[in-house]
Amino acid sequence: MECLRVKLYTPTGIFKNPLSIKGIEVYPLPPYSTIIGLIYRALGRKWNGEYFQISIQGDYQAIYRDYVWFKKYNFKDKELGRLPLQVPILYNLRLLIHIKASEELLNEIESCLKKPKELLFLSGGEYPLKVEEVKRVKCEAREVSKFNPMELVYNAYVPTLLKREIKSTEEGINFNLSYFYKNTKPKVYNWIEATYLKKGTLIYKGELYVDEEDYPVFLTPEIPQTETVDPQQDQDYVIFYQLAYGFCMCEHA
């Protein structure tokens, strides 16, 4: 199996959970939809309904807390407000991404990430994103065991369907992560259940795909899940829009 491996760096990252009622819940890594949006920004075009599989891993140097201005729209009261919220922000974030797609689409993604159509950024766009590597890699299946475990060198999202097939020293944290669109008008996502495993976790049972440098690859399913969230039907659903940053308080991870 051949994948495109991409290494990214950004000084800061904040990835808000759109289902967070209070607006302070964030993801420890960017969700799948954020990386998909990044790819199409690099392509310089809109999504045309094509699908590809993604593996997301990453690490950060520290977490600090900062005040962020938000606009808050409550569908129940139909009111738009503005409030300061203190949120944790990832500092010196590095990402390891693997992408599996058709040969034509993989060529297109590889070319655009090497020469993007526009400036790339993650989260609020305060800092540009550095693409450190874009490389084709061969991936092969490997059986792991208690005598030959795989230790994670990055934090990782492991899709639940794959997590059920392996055993690890940590149970991890479960998330519902936005994936590709189910509808674009209005925007409704497909969602994927995934488990967040911290670096240092040992996977000691099951079959994994690894690339040429022994990085594990946790690809999403080939067919997106159909679970959706419709804010119009959930009266407690709140959307938050990031506006600006204030002062910060440092906190090491």
Side-chain angles (χ1 to χ4, degrees), residues 31-157:
Y32 297 111
S33 59
T34 297
I35 299 302
I36 292 168
L38 174 74
I39 290 171
Y40 281 93
R41 194 176 301 119
L43 286 169
R45 66 174 177 85
K46 294 183 178 180
W47 179 62
N48 292 326
E50 59 267 85
Y51 292 103
F52 48 86
Q53 296 171 264
I54 312 172
S55 170
I56 299 178
Q57 301 175 73
D59 194 15
Y60 51 87
Q61 182 178 341
I63 298 177
Y64 68 93
R65 296 185 181 275
D66 200 350
Y67 280 98
V68 181
W69 282 106
F70 283 88
K71 284 183 178 179
K72 172 185 175 182
Y73 183 78
N74 190 306
F75 286 97
K76 181 178 181 180
D77 300 328
K78 297 183 178 180
E79 293 180 350
L80 182 65
R82 186 171 180 264
L83 71 162
L85 293 174
Q86 192 183 77
V87 295
I89 300 176
L90 307 179
Y91 175 66
N92 274 349
L93 175 65
R94 296 186 183 276
L95 297 172
L96 177 70
I97 311 295
H98 289 83
I99 303 166
K100 181 177 181 289
S102 66
E103 183 64 24
E104 180 181 357
L105 183 57
L106 207 61
N107 285 334
E108 188 179 7
I109 294 173
E110 180 179 13
S111 177
C112 80
L113 289 175
K114 289 179 177 179
K115 295 182 178 180
K117 300 294 185 181
E118 59 182 87
L119 183 67
L120 301 181
F121 57 87
L122 287 175
S123 62
E126 288 76 21
Y127 296 97
L129 181 76
K130 181 181 180 182
V131 180
E132 295 185 326
E133 179 188 75
V134 180
K135 180 181 179 181
R136 294 285 188 107
V137 292
K138 297 290 186 181
C139 301
E140 60 179 20
R142 177 183 299 176
E143 193 75 23
V144 295
S145 67
K146 292 182 178 180
F147 304 102
N148 185 31
M150 168 68 71
E151 180 176 357
L152 298 185
V153 295
Y154 286 98
N155 307 309
Y157 285 139

Side-chain angles (χ1 to χ4, degrees), residues 43 45 89-90 94 105 151 165 168-169 180 197 213 222 228 230 240:
L43 286 169
R45 66 174 177 85
I89 300 176
L90 307 179
R94 296 186 183 276
L105 183 57
E151 180 176 357
E165 303 298 322
S168 60
T169 53
F180 284 97
L197 295 180
E213 296 181 20
E222 293 186 16
T228 61
D230 186 348
F240 294 90

Side-chain angles (χ1 to χ4, degrees), residues 10 28 56 77 94-95 127 175 191 196 204 209 221 229 240:
T10 183
I56 299 178
D77 300 328
R94 296 186 183 276
L95 297 172
Y127 296 97
F175 288 101
W191 293 73
Y196 173 76
Y204 60 85
Y209 275 96
V229 174
F240 294 90

